[in-house]
């Protein structure tokens, strides 16, 4: 008989777990197995990814940012909250034990005829413990634990995604600052040339070798260049401020030492592998976070469904009571009790079934979010790969344009001095050269920023700065 009851209990428990188990229904997306082949030589992506630029200043900035950035601290705090929530959820699967003790002293008078008016004083001591345990026949606590663990994994992936995003923002900000500083240097050099030209035109005007129209055009050209320099100085200031926010401090010392003193140049853009399999994107933490959120939503459905079934609780009490403290734990004073209870929800106004419907809707939302995250990741890879080829073409063309305009400027200045061309023609060539120099620096910057985007899109790693995930411990 006992064996039959035990077998029935085990079968009921197993069937209950099956009742609350829900398939996350992870969507299958029609993505290609590989990306378009490269049209030029490529290199392997190192780990951590930002070391591919071989810039010690950048490496230092990334280390400092990961240590001090507030977004990283916030993400770490979220992980700590999720880890504590998991421990709290797992505690529901264990029995509870409570212990209480009290001492009571009372005085009363008796009206017995033999001893009227006699006062009686009594002292009693009690120690009692209570044990409670709810049978998880329907897997409610098991699914809740699975949900909490998936939520923890989601926050851990989120922490890694925050750190990766920070490394990308720091790298982009660093290159953008260097580019702005290089453009500012070009502007200042050009302004010095314009001011010298203005001085010479003034001498020619005073000597009667030129007219006021030519002088005023030279003055306007100098002021236009000065305006451009002011705008570039503002851009550098903004880049410095943005980088300081990411670092958690002012990077003024870095700017004065390395960037604005022209000690740092934009590195040569590096080509990354273009024939990358789609499986590489599985390393992206945002995809891992989306999948963990989907698993948590599926487990929440199991919790909601289990609420529809009865709860079976086992309770027990044990303790000791005595009028003498020394006899409190002797055999005659001990007592115990045990009970079992069942609670089946009958009418909840549709609340329980509405909660099931809500959790099922959340799962559908998480499925769509997962699909969107994967599709977005694949789009980012394709955009960065296309950008790697096209931006390089822009950079090559800009470099050729600067070379041609530099030579054209030399010839124009020579012909102007010989009186073969008007000043307006010289001015037009000079303007073209200045804009081409600014555009070339911008193209070099854009090529570097695209390399950053591609490295992050294919799941660039954090190296030793990556933290272990709960599912891998």
């Amino acid at each position: 008989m006992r064996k039959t009851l035990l077998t029935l209990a085990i079968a009921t428990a197993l069937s209950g777990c099956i009742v609350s188990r829900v398939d996350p229904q992870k969507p299958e997306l029609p993505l290609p197995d590989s990306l378009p082949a490269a049209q030029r030589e490529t290199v392997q992506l190192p780990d951590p990814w930002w070391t591919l630029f071989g810039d010690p200043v950048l490496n230092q900035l990334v280390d400092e940012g990961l240590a001090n950035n507030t977004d990283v601290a916030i993400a770490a705090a979220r992980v700590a909250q999720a880890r504590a929530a998991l421990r709290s959820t797992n505690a529901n699967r264990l029995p509870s034990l409570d212990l209480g003790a009290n001492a009571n002293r009372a005085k009363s008078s008796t009206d017995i005829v033999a001893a009227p008016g006699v006062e009686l004083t009594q002292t009693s001591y009690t120690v009692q413990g209570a044990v409670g345990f709810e049978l998880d026949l329907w897997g409610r606590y098991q699914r809740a634990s699975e949900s909490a663990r998936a939520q923890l994994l989601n926050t851990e992936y989120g922490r890694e995604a925050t750190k990766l995003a920070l490394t990308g923002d720091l790298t982009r900000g660093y290159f953008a600052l260097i580019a702005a500083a290089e453009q500012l240097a070009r502007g200042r050099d050009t302004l010095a040339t314009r001011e010298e030209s203005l001085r010479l035109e003034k001498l020619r005007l005073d000597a009667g070798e030129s007219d006021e129209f030519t002088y005023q055009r030279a003055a306007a050209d100098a002021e236009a260049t000065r305006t451009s320099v002011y705008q570039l100085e503002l851009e550098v200031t903004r880049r410095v401020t943005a980088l300081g926010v990411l670092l958690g401090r002012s990077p003024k010392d870095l700017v004065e030492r390395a960037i604005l003193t022209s000690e740092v140049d934009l590195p040569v853009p590096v080509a990354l592998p273009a024939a990358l399999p789609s499986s590489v994107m599985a390393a992206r933490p945002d995809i891992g976070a989306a999948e963990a959120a989907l698993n948590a939503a599926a487990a929440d459905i199991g919790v909601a469904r289990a609420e529809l079934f009865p709860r079976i609780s086992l309770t027990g009490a044990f303790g000791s009571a005595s009028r003498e403290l020394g006899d409190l734990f002797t055999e005659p004073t001990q007592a115990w009790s045990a009970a079992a209870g069942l609670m089946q929800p009958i009418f909840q106004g549709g609340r329980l079934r509405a909660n099931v419907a809500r959790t099922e809707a959340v799962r559908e939302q998480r499925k769509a979010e997962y699909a969107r995250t994967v599709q977005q990741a694949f789009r980012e890879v394709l955009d960065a790969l296309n950008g790697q080829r096209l931006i390089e073409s822009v950079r090559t063309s800009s470099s050729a344009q600067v070379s041609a305009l530099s030579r054209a400027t030399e010839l124009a200045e020579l012909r102007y001095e010989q009186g073969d061309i008007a000043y307006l023609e010289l001015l037009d060539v000079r303007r073209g050269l200045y804009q081409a120099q600014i555009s070339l620096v911008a193209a070099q910057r854009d090529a570097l920023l695209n390399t950053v985007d591609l490295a992050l899109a294919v799941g660039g790693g954090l190296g030793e700065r990556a933290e272990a995930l709960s599912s891998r411990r």
Side-chain angles (χ1 to χ4, degrees), residues 96-166:
S96 63
L97 174 62
D98 299 309
L99 183 65
N102 64 74
N104 183 42
R105 185 175 178 83
K107 181 175 70 172
S108 61
S109 299
T110 179
D111 57 355
I112 300 176
V113 177
V118 176
E119 293 183 350
L120 299 177
T121 300
Q122 295 181 342
T123 302
S124 61
Y125 303 93
T126 304
V127 174
Q128 185 174 20
V131 179
F133 180 66
E134 181 176 336
L135 298 179
D136 193 22
L137 295 181
W138 318 114
R140 182 166 67 98
Y141 291 134
Q142 182 177 349
R143 298 289 93 79
S145 177
E146 292 174 359
S147 174
R149 183 169 294 280
Q151 292 172 25
L152 171 59
L153 186 59
N154 173 267
T155 59
E156 290 176 334
Y157 273 122
R159 175 196 61 206
E160 300 304 289
T162 299
K163 290 160 64 176
L164 271 177
L166 173 62

Side-chain angles (χ1 to χ4, degrees), residues 292-312:
L294 175 59
N295 293 334
D300 288 338
I301 296 176
V303 175
R305 288 179 179 177
E307 293 283 354
L308 299 172
F309 296 89
R311 296 187 181 184
I312 300 178

Side-chain angles (χ1 to χ4, degrees), residues 340-358:
L342 182 147
M343 179 176 293
Q344 168 67 51
I346 301 299
F347 178 74
Q348 298 286 333
R351 178 180 62 85
L352 297 181
R353 296 194 178 279
N355 191 40
V356 173
R358 179 190 63 81

Side-chain angles (χ1 to χ4, degrees), residues 235-258:
E235 178 69 11
V236 168
T237 301
R238 289 174 174 172
R239 295 295 182 183
V240 170
T241 304
L243 196 59
V245 171
L246 295 176
L247 292 174
R249 68 167 178 86
S250 174
K252 182 179 179 181
D253 56 337
L254 170 68
V255 175
E256 293 178 348
R257 183 185 77 252

Side-chain angles (χ1 to χ4, degrees), residues 367-380:
K367 285 169 57 179
E369 290 173 347
Y370 173 81
R372 181 188 63 186
T373 300
V374 174
Q375 292 169 352
Q376 175 71 13
F378 199 79
R379 184 188 68 80
E380 290 175 359

Side-chain angles (χ1 to χ4, degrees), residues 207-254:
E209 298 176 358
S210 182
D211 55 23
E212 185 179 0
F213 174 76
T214 302
Y215 171 75
Q216 293 298 338
R217 290 305 305 262
D221 185 41
E223 292 305 320
T225 306
R226 196 186 315 277
T227 300
S228 177
V229 169
Y230 290 149
Q231 292 172 341
L232 291 171
E233 288 178 348
L234 178 60
E235 178 69 11
V236 168
T237 301
R238 289 174 174 172
R239 295 295 182 183
V240 170
T241 304
L243 196 59
V245 171
L246 295 176
L247 292 174
R249 68 167 178 86
S250 174
K252 182 179 179 181
D253 56 337
L254 170 68

Side-chain angles (χ1 to χ4, degrees), residues 193-415:
T193 302
R194 299 294 189 271
E195 290 176 339
E196 178 61 18
S197 297
L198 180 61
R199 187 185 69 82
L200 294 177
E201 290 301 323
K202 177 63 175 174
L203 293 176
R204 290 179 180 179
L205 177 63
D206 294 342
E209 298 176 358
S210 182
D211 55 23
E212 185 179 0
F213 174 76
T214 302
Y215 171 75
Q216 293 298 338
R217 290 305 305 262
D221 185 41
E223 292 305 320
T225 306
R226 196 186 315 277
T227 300
S228 177
V229 169
Y230 290 149
Q231 292 172 341
L232 291 171
E233 288 178 348
L234 178 60
E235 178 69 11
V236 168
T237 301
R238 289 174 174 172
R239 295 295 182 183
V240 170
T241 304
L243 196 59
V245 171
L246 295 176
L247 292 174
R249 68 167 178 86
S250 174
K252 182 179 179 181
D253 56 337
L254 170 68
V255 175
E256 293 178 348
R257 183 185 77 252
I259 297 176
L260 298 187
T261 57
S262 300
E263 294 180 8
V264 174
D265 297 324
L266 282 173
V268 177
V270 180
L272 295 181
L276 295 169
S278 302
S279 59
V280 171
M281 290 188 296
R284 289 179 52 131
D286 56 342
I287 295 179
E291 184 175 358
L294 175 59
N295 293 334
D300 288 338
I301 296 176
V303 175
R305 288 179 179 177
E307 293 283 354
L308 299 172
F309 296 89
R311 296 187 181 184
I312 300 178
S313 301
L314 303 178
T315 59
F318 59 91
S320 180
S322 175
R323 294 183 180 180
E324 300 294 334
L325 185 61
D327 297 334
L328 185 60
F329 296 103
T330 59
E331 185 68 24
T333 65
Q334 295 179 1
W336 62 269
S337 65
L342 182 147
M343 179 176 293
Q344 168 67 51
I346 301 299
F347 178 74
Q348 298 286 333
R351 178 180 62 85
L352 297 181
R353 296 194 178 279
N355 191 40
V356 173
R358 179 190 63 81
T359 54
E360 290 175 345
V362 171
R363 179 184 60 179
E364 294 305 309
Q365 176 186 342
R366 298 290 182 261
K367 285 169 57 179
E369 290 173 347
Y370 173 81
R372 181 188 63 186
T373 300
V374 174
Q375 292 169 352
Q376 175 71 13
F378 199 79
R379 184 188 68 80
E380 290 175 359
V381 174
L382 291 177
D383 288 347
L385 284 173
N386 292 328
Q388 183 172 247
R389 174 176 55 85
L390 296 175
I391 293 176
E392 176 61 21
S393 299
V394 172
R395 192 173 73 93
T396 302
S397 298
S398 296
S399 179
Q401 182 185 21
V402 169
S403 298
L405 286 173
S406 296
R407 180 55 180 164
T409 301
E410 294 176 359
L411 296 174
E413 289 175 348
L414 180 61
R415 296 183 64 185

